[in-house]
Amino acid sequence: MKLWGGRFQKETDNLVNDFNASIQFDQRLYREDITGSMAHARMLGECGIISREDVQAITQGLAGILADIESGKVTFTAENEDIHMNVEALLTARIGAAGKRLHTARSRNDQVALDFRMYVREQIPVILSQLLELERVLCSKARQHQETVMPGYTHLQRAQPISFAQHLMAYAAQFRRDITRLEDCKARMNECPLGCGALAGTTYPIDRRMTAAALGFDGPTSNSLDGVSDRDYALELMSGLSILMMHLSRFSEEIILWCSWEFKFIELDDAYATGSSIMPQKKNPDVAELVRGKTGRVYGDLMSLLTVMKGLPLAYNKDMQEDKEPVFDAIDTVEMCLPVFAAMIDTMKVLPENMRAAAGHGFINATDCADYLTKKGMPFRDAYTAVGRLVAVCAGGGKTLEELTLSQLREVSALFDEDVYEALSLRTCMGQRKSFGGPAVSETTRQIEDVERFIKDRTK
Ligand code: ARG
């Protein structure tokens, strides 16, 4: 008979058993379930609701079950529906009556709310440490390429000169926000729903502060209905993970472009690229493509839970059992993407000559040329037009700005002098962009040191 079978005259149909069960996927919550039950039992004992002997039997019984699950000795059943009832049934089979007292002053609704919250809380640090490793990789790559000039783009058109370090540190800034977003989520979610009961708390003299403290929460959730129906933390996590994946996906897109023959700014390490079954020459950026592809999956996970939650009246509804698979999937996906992505970046070969060659074409020093005239007294708008005319001259003759002779330059403005060639050199154009946050070496050094300090603050 079912744990809840008291008022039923018939056995559950097998189709319903399978349909209703969540054990296939919620068994991964076994550790949280047992830890939560141990804290609950101890509190029941402290508050005089069950006897010390029962607490002792329950705690030992649960410890034995935990050990058996971890050594693969336990088979869960769909008959027992979910991890909570599977564990309780195992416990009662092992210790008898005391096992039946464990569920006093508790419901599966606050139990699942607790287990799931603890699981999410434990996974956030795993993702954070993977993100910190990625930041470390970016800083060390950036340190090597502060003078590696490349074209910066807008509209995927060559725009102005930057360094490869500046480009990498842009991503480091994004991942830094991802880290603080997840930290915020972890801090906000740290309230314990245990003791909310089914929805309306309990008449037993329980101590919710005691279980909250024992389980490492800042305190109990303040409203019993909200405590069992809140899945905001899961949604916040998946929102944070979606934004993180969006960053990884944009970066992946650039990796894919950069290792194409059209760009050839980088070459992926053989260990992080794949071949083609038919084209012997191919070396494909599958890792980056998969990260880009899996981003859609994580967005889907977020949308799935948002949609499950949107029409639910308070408090618990069985719809909420659908919360687990998307969250597990989003976490698994991110935890799989981050290490392989970081290693791919760490091992890729940067091709500075190709970056510099690309930077030499496309008039990416045109703004600097206009700035040159402006600094000699011409209003910027006039300088802009003058340089536009020069670009047209160059484009006609297949030349770059710095290849024009002084007399050609002077046809457009008498303000041009010998020093224009130095002003137009890529080294000057990149190196003089010293404004705060710019690509000059002094500024990329500051950015790298900032991020290194950020990492250090979190790893000591
Ligand atoms: N397996 C259920 C879930 O994941 C546990 C809570 C069930 N509660 C209930 N009243 N049926 O949501």
Side-chain angles (χ1 to χ4, degrees):
M1 194 175 74
K2 289 271 193 290
L3 278 177
W4 41 254
R7 58 103 72 210
F8 288 81
Q9 321 265 295
K10 269 189 179 176
E11 288 295 310
T12 317
D13 188 276
N14 276 336
L15 280 174
V16 176
N17 257 344
D18 289 341
F19 186 66
N20 203 33
S22 52
I23 187 64
Q24 323 82 276
F25 50 83
D26 68 14
Q27 54 183 278
R28 78 156 89 182
L29 299 175
Y30 72 88
R31 199 197 319 265
E32 292 74 21
D33 194 71
I34 289 175
T35 311
S37 288
M38 285 179 169
H40 179 65
R42 281 196 203 101
M43 180 278 292
L44 290 177
E46 292 290 324
C47 296
I49 301 167
I50 63 174
S51 71
R52 303 252 162 219
E53 296 71 49
D54 283 345
V55 177
Q56 176 82 4
I58 290 170
T59 321
Q60 276 175 6
L62 287 172
I65 292 169
L66 179 62
D68 287 352
I69 295 174
E70 301 210 305
S71 57
K73 289 195 200 122
V74 170
T75 20
F76 300 114
T77 68
E79 175 66 20
N80 281 322
E81 211 175 307
D82 56 24
I83 186 63
H84 326 293
M85 294 207 298
N86 268 274
V87 171
E88 194 183 326
L90 284 166
L91 183 68
T92 303
R94 291 183 186 200
I95 67 168
K100 296 187 190 172
R101 296 208 174 91
L102 169 62
H103 212 52
T104 313
R106 187 177 70 169
S107 157
R108 265 189 302 154
N109 297 350
D110 56 344
Q111 192 177 357
V112 71
L114 171 70
D115 294 2
F116 196 38
R117 211 181 264 249
M118 288 203 291
Y119 183 83
V120 167
R121 189 181 63 176
E122 282 149 24
Q123 292 306 308
I124 293 174
V126 175
I127 297 169
L128 286 175
S129 74
Q130 291 178 333
L131 274 168
L132 287 170
E133 168 60 14
L134 176 56
E135 290 288 57
R136 194 199 55 72
V137 166
L138 289 175
C139 286
S140 90
K141 263 268 176 305
R143 277 214 178 273
Q144 297 157 32
H145 292 288
Q146 292 186 270
E147 313 224 31
T148 303
V149 180
M150 71 180 280
Y153 296 81
T154 65
H155 314 267
L156 199 57
Q157 302 286 320
R158 291 173 194 166
Q160 290 178 341
I162 58 169
S163 69
F164 190 52
Q166 174 77 346
H167 204 111
L168 292 176
M169 291 315 287
Y171 283 106
Q174 299 172 26
F175 296 128
R176 184 173 163 158
R177 289 193 295 276
D178 291 323
I179 289 172
T180 54
R181 243 186 298 276
L182 295 182
E183 287 172 346
D184 288 351
C185 169
K186 182 163 182 283
R188 191 164 22 254
M189 70 173 287
N190 202 29
E191 292 181 343
C192 183
L194 186 61
C196 289
L199 75 162
T202 177
T203 55
Y204 290 99
I206 60 169
D207 185 345
R208 291 193 60 201
R209 288 203 173 76
M210 186 188 295
T211 40
L215 294 167
F217 288 97
D218 300 330
T221 55
S222 112
N223 177 289
S224 64
L225 261 74
D226 179 54
V228 287
S229 7
D230 171 27
R231 296 293 182 270
D232 291 6
Y233 56 93
L235 291 166
E236 262 192 79
L237 170 74
M238 288 198 287
S239 310
L241 296 184
S242 293
I243 298 174
L244 158 61
M245 287 302 294
M246 179 269 289
H247 293 150
L248 284 177
S249 187
R250 291 180 78 172
F251 203 164
S252 293
E253 170 70 13
E254 299 212 280
I255 298 290
I256 294 160
L257 288 172
W258 290 343
C259 63
S260 71
W261 283 105
E262 284 67 17
F263 280 78
K264 264 297 165 245
F265 286 0
I266 58 157
E267 189 175 339
L268 293 177
D269 190 82
D270 277 0
Y272 292 90
T274 47
S276 152
S277 59
I278 175 171
M279 298 168 280
Q281 84 283 13
K282 288 294 282 281
K283 182 167 175 184
N284 294 330
D286 287 27
V287 169
E289 291 170 272
L290 271 174
V291 169
R292 190 176 57 183
K294 284 174 190 293
T295 301
R297 231 181 129 110
V298 175
Y299 291 3
D301 292 329
L302 169 64
M303 284 319 297
S304 150
L305 185 57
L306 278 171
T307 312
V308 165
M309 297 303 293
K310 74 179 270 291
L312 298 186
L314 299 182
Y316 179 84
N317 300 268
K318 187 75 169 194
D319 314 45
M320 288 161 72
Q321 181 165 285
E322 293 292 315
D323 60 359
K324 282 160 216 77
E325 286 162 293
V327 171
F328 293 160
D329 185 68
I331 290 172
D332 291 348
T333 303
V334 167
E335 289 183 1
M336 204 156 50
C337 288
L338 278 171
V340 70
F341 189 87
M344 174 183 72
I345 301 294
D346 201 19
T347 55
M348 75 189 183
K349 189 163 145 209
V350 180
L351 304 170
E353 303 72 34
N354 295 354
M355 290 184 181
R356 172 169 281 275
H361 296 277
F363 306 105
I364 69 176
N365 50 4
T367 316
D368 300 86
C369 190
D371 289 343
Y372 171 89
L373 292 174
T374 307
K375 283 171 193 162
K376 299 232 167 177
M378 190 184 283
F380 178 77
R381 221 12 103 202
D382 295 337
Y384 171 94
T385 309
V387 177
R389 239 178 281 137
L390 287 174
V391 168
V393 171
C394 288
K399 284 200 166 6
T400 64
L401 285 172
E402 59 277 24
E403 283 167 356
L404 295 177
T405 63
L406 198 50
S407 64
Q408 283 175 305
L409 291 169
R410 282 184 174 154
E411 273 169 38
V412 166
S413 166
L415 292 172
F416 281 116
D417 241 316
E418 264 314 321
D419 59 352
V420 68
Y421 295 105
E422 177 56 26
L424 290 185
S425 80
L426 282 178
R427 208 163 39 87
T428 315
C429 297
M430 202 274 286
Q432 290 309 108
R433 300 187 120 75
K434 293 180 186 158
S435 51
F436 190 90
V441 171
S442 58
E443 275 304 300
T444 48
T445 303
R446 180 194 54 76
Q447 296 175 53
I448 295 167
E449 284 171 355
D450 260 12
V451 175
E452 284 173 345
R453 215 169 304 117
F454 177 87
I455 300 171
K456 202 162 152 234
D457 285 345
R458 283 158 176 79
T459 43
K460 54 177 178 229

